Amino acid sequence: MKYAVDLHIHSCLSPCGDELMTPNNIVNMAYIKGLDMIAVADHNTARHLPTIEKVAKAVGVGLLPAMEITTMEEVHLLAYFRTVEQAVRFSDVIYPHLPPIKNKPAIFGEQLELDEDDEPVGSEEKLLISALDLSIDEITAMILEHGGLAVPAHINRGSNGLLQALGFVPPGCDFSALEVSIGMPLPHKGIPKKLVQLHSSDAHYLENMFERVEFLEMDSPDAEGFFRMIEEGRWPVSGSTDAQSVNSRLD
Amino acid sequence: MKVKELQEKIGAAVLTGDVGLENEIESGYCCDLLSWVMAHGSAGMAWVTVQTHMNVIAVATLHEMSCVIIPEGAQMDQEIANKAAEEGIAVLCTDKPAYEICGLMYAGGIKAGEE
């Protein structure tokens, strides 16, 4: 079946995520927009996922556990997992690799952790957008070991896109898909043809979350469905790197 | 200036044995965005970068650079340096900051590449 998804959304735990990106706001906005499955991918942490999973279950929106890792090369790399437990375990493993630089909320924004009623329960002291001291090759291998999928984020975007930092997709890295930013040119060279290309909003504000514009052919709108889709190499059904076609769908 | 002479001037260690030490340096460059270096690199360049990914060697090879210099104690895997050696490119590494290395190169007569 075709399911509408947005697989790259930031919560208010990410310093750059708007304070309105609370678990309830994100999930209910996804519900209102008619999204079947979302992925909340905070920078270098999965700490918000247990709460977001509770809310998503209560509302009835599928959740693909995720995080967005910053590699040593300053490349943003999405990690998708089958379960929140796996994601949290991985988050704990990489946490010591995040440098001990403290967040300055006035500059980078708050890093707030909320409960299922959107009440604050804590905040992260270390700056979550710092680069880990692990290379993209090392982190990719670690994600796979932990049962996840590694997907370079917004590869064709300027800042922190793989193509800017590393010039081209490194051969030999075991990526499961590529996230391509809509509305930005994608070079013809240096992109493995076989890798599935995904498109997501990378929303830091509620209003930037996708409408029903990106559809995946999955058996079910959950992590199992997504993993099977990737294993079988199925591309998004109506996803497109062509900004105009997406915009016309939005109109 | 040859790579060997630069290596002595900046007191760098060599990760690629004798390979490329006789390469002639035509110009110097310092940048960590590989897409940028792909667009602006040139033959005979001595390139200073803290990036140590295998793609660094691919970009250096693409432009037929003379050497890659890894500053500030950044670590390149020997396996990656071996690839550079296969391609005839020297890899030097040092604890000196990139800024100082560039200053020493410039004072030694190595100019920026022509645009």
Side-chain angles (χ1 to χ4, degrees):
Chain A
M1 252 193 78
K2 269 170 65 173
Y3 292 104
V5 300
D6 187 352
L7 301 183
H8 186 165
I9 298 168
H10 288 271
S11 84
C12 54
L13 181 52
S14 292
C16 40
D18 188 50
E19 61 181 18
L20 290 176
M21 296 299 265
T22 67
N24 283 276
N25 282 352
I26 291 171
V27 171
N28 284 295
M29 182 59 93
Y31 179 78
I32 292 167
K33 285 169 177 280
L35 299 178
D36 300 302
M37 181 169 78
I38 58 171
V40 175
D42 282 314
H43 289 293
N44 294 319
T45 186
R47 220 170 100 179
H48 233 171
L49 292 182
T51 302
I52 292 167
E53 184 181 46
K54 275 185 211 163
V55 177
K57 274 188 177 154
V59 175
V61 172
L63 180 76
L64 175 63
M67 48 196 296
E68 185 179 31
I69 294 153
T70 312
T71 76
M72 181 203 272
E73 300 85 1
E74 307 255 344
V75 173
H76 284 181
L77 181 66
L78 291 162
Y80 292 121
F81 293 93
R82 286 179 196 269
T83 66
V84 167
E85 291 70 29
Q86 276 183 331
V88 170
R89 209 172 304 138
F90 187 73
S91 180
D92 290 342
V93 167
I94 64 163
Y95 190 77
H97 294 279
L98 191 64
I101 301 166
K102 283 198 170 176
N103 182 31
K104 289 193 175 68
I107 297 171
F108 300 107
E110 297 283 355
Q111 300 183 149
L112 280 182
E113 187 183 352
L114 310 179
D115 67 11
E116 60 261 43
D117 299 316
D118 286 355
E119 294 296 332
V121 287
S123 66
E124 173 57 49
E125 287 253 306
K126 279 207 266 185
L127 178 61
L128 287 169
I129 49 167
S130 300
L132 304 186
D133 63 358
L134 296 166
S135 73
I136 190 168
D137 307 57
E138 288 170 322
I139 297 173
T140 299
M142 286 167 70
I143 292 169
L144 296 183
E145 276 167 29
H146 284 78
L149 301 174
V151 178
H154 43 68
I155 60 163
N156 53 330
R157 196 187 78 183
S159 56
N160 302 108
L162 179 145
L163 294 176
Q164 187 192 51
L166 287 179
F168 53 93
V169 179
C173 254
D174 213 350
F175 303 134
S176 298
L178 300 170
E179 184 195 89
V180 173
S181 293
I182 292 169
M184 294 179 194
L186 182 68
H188 295 293
K189 280 187 179 174
I191 310 289
K193 294 278 179 290
K194 277 185 185 168
L195 275 182
V196 172
Q197 293 180 10
L198 304 169
H199 317 95
S200 302
S201 70
D202 193 6
H204 290 70
Y205 296 85
L206 285 169
E207 59 266 36
N208 296 131
M209 283 170 59
F210 266 3
E211 303 292 327
R212 284 173 62 86
V213 292
E214 176 79 356
F215 294 91
L216 302 183
E217 178 72 44
M218 298 185 291
D219 303 333
S220 50
D222 52 25
E224 274 317 308
F226 178 77
F227 271 65
R228 197 165 312 132
M229 183 204 88
I230 292 293
E231 277 159 20
E232 293 174 6
R234 273 179 264 149
W235 283 54
V237 209
S238 51
S240 170
T241 52
D242 178 6
Q244 276 185 337
S245 74
V246 170
N247 287 336
S248 66
R249 268 185 275 143
L250 284 171
D251 293 340
Chain B
M1 189 190 295
K2 288 191 189 307
V3 171
K4 175 85 186 145
E5 203 181 325
L6 175 66
Q7 177 240 329
E8 285 163 3
K9 200 178 275 292
I10 63 175
V14 186
L15 296 181
T16 40
D18 293 335
V19 173
L21 290 181
E22 295 299 315
N23 289 349
E24 194 65 40
I25 298 171
E26 304 292 342
S27 63
Y29 201 61
C30 183
C31 181
D32 300 316
L33 291 177
L34 270 55
S35 55
W36 198 269
V37 182
M38 280 172 79
H40 298 95
S42 61
M45 220 168 221
W47 171 25
V48 185
T49 178
V50 292
Q51 293 275 22
T52 55
H53 194 271
M54 184 68 88
N55 280 19
V56 167
I57 307 307
V59 173
T61 305
L62 176 78
H63 287 302
E64 299 177 337
M65 291 187 182
S66 57
C67 65
V68 173
I69 304 153
I70 313 291
E72 311 194 22
Q75 298 290 319
M76 177 177 274
D77 286 349
Q78 189 58 46
E79 189 190 331
I80 293 173
N82 292 348
K83 184 70 185 166
E86 274 176 38
E87 302 291 345
I89 292 168
V91 177
L92 313 180
C93 60
T94 166
D95 288 337
K96 284 196 168 67
Y99 183 75
E100 188 179 344
I101 294 167
C102 292
L104 289 168
M105 287 204 291
Y106 196 85
I110 299 170
K111 299 292 191 240
E114 282 178 33
E115 280 296 312

